[in-house]
Amino acid sequence: MSNGTAIVETLNPLVLLQPNLRFPRVPPMTTTTLQSGVILHNCRVKYVNHNAMECPCSGSMCDYSEFTAGYGRTPATVCACVRGQNMGRTTCISVSLSIEEQNTGVSLSVEGFTSKMFYEQFLVRSSVARMNPQHFHANGIIISKKIKKILKYGNTRGGWSIVGWQKTSLVEDQGGQEQGASINGSGNQVIQGHSNFHIIRMEPSVPNSFNRDELHNLKIDLTELM
């Protein structure tokens, strides 16, 4: 957890399972300052921009954003791969997205979505040794076009399912309630008009609608970037 408390502690390796599970919808909340989960289905996802960065390790379950969330955690202190093994580092893509749930019109803006699972399953054909962010920066236009095509492919085949969390910010009231509702009755702090959304998982809402060969042809061929 973000406070350092271990949820699972085991000496055995974790094996990533990918069952075809559809989690129940959990809409975003705008009246709480607590962290709350968000699950949306059949979403239309649009590309905004992207950046390439070096990830702490090569594990497919690694989420680089965990180490940049402001909790003071670093790969050297919490990542077993870095601490006990030398698995090396890989490059992944961070993407900012505009998301709209097609059935409800609920919309979200997400900055810096990073997921090794999504990166490897939907964006690139295969990992390449010695790949670094400079290869991506030099081919930014090509990559952006590829990402747009992949997202559009999913949008036209049932959309994407989004799993994440949100945190509504507090701001100091400047004498009025225009920015939001008071949370303590004194008017000192109010809920900000928007929340910060963070995605931890994105996958097809209708997995069977994806054709493996078609998706493979849309993916980024990393060998062409080197």
Side-chain angles (χ1 to χ4, degrees):
M1 299 179 66
S2 60
N3 62 0
T5 302
I7 298 178
V8 177
E9 185 173 354
T10 176
L11 297 178
N12 298 319
L14 297 178
V15 178
L16 179 62
L17 301 178
Q18 300 179 40
N20 184 14
L21 298 177
R22 185 179 176 91
F23 296 104
R25 180 178 183 271
V26 180
M29 301 178 64
T30 59
T31 58
T32 178
T33 59
L34 300 176
Q35 292 182 3
S36 57
V38 176
I39 301 177
L40 302 177
H41 297 293
N42 307 109
C43 294
R44 181 183 294 108
V45 180
K46 294 183 179 180
Y47 166 93
V48 177
N49 57 56
H50 77 275
N51 188 25
M53 60 180 64
E54 190 178 61
C55 300
C57 74
S58 57
S60 61
M61 294 184 69
C62 183
D63 236 327
Y64 181 82
S65 59
E66 174 71 13
F67 305 114
T68 60
Y71 301 125
R73 306 176 72 195
T74 64
T77 58
V78 301
C79 179
C81 300
V82 175
R83 188 174 64 243
Q85 306 175 32
N86 184 17
M87 294 181 63
R89 293 170 177 260
T90 58
T91 298
C92 61
I93 299 177
S94 169
V95 187
S96 294
L97 304 168
S98 173
I99 299 169
E100 180 182 359
E101 193 176 36
Q102 299 182 52
N103 298 331
T104 65
V106 171
S107 60
L108 311 175
S109 294
V110 176
E111 296 183 3
F113 167 53
T114 59
S115 169
K116 291 292 293 297
M117 183 188 302
F118 184 83
Y119 172 78
E120 293 177 350
Q121 288 187 357
F122 299 104
L123 290 187
V124 299
R125 293 184 182 179
S126 61
S127 298
V128 176
R130 299 189 303 277
M131 200 75 184
N132 60 62
Q134 284 69 34
H135 293 112
F136 288 90
H137 298 325
N139 297 273
I141 296 178
I142 296 175
I143 293 174
S144 64
K145 289 181 178 180
K146 285 284 190 177
I147 297 175
K148 290 177 183 178
K149 289 181 179 180
I150 293 168
L151 293 177
K152 183 178 180 180
Y153 183 84
N155 291 341
T156 59
R157 286 161 176 78
W160 300 90
S161 290
I162 306 297
V163 179
W165 59 278
Q166 70 172 111
K167 177 67 167 65
T168 303
S169 302
L170 292 177
V171 295
E172 293 296 327
D173 185 16
Q174 301 300 320
Q177 296 297 324
E178 293 83 359
Q179 292 177 300
S182 173
I183 63 167
N184 55 16
S186 65
N188 294 330
Q189 289 185 317
V190 295
I191 298 174
Q192 200 174 35
H194 66 275
S195 298
N196 296 319
F197 293 95
H198 306 268
I199 298 178
I200 60 175
R201 187 180 182 94
M202 186 167 80
E203 58 191 9
S205 294
V206 187
N208 293 336
S209 68
F210 274 52
N211 180 281
R212 180 176 299 181
D213 293 333
E214 292 177 348
L215 180 62
H216 178 80
N217 291 333
L218 291 175
K219 287 181 177 180
I220 302 168
D221 186 350
L222 296 181
T223 60
E224 296 179 355
L225 305 183
M226 300 184 68

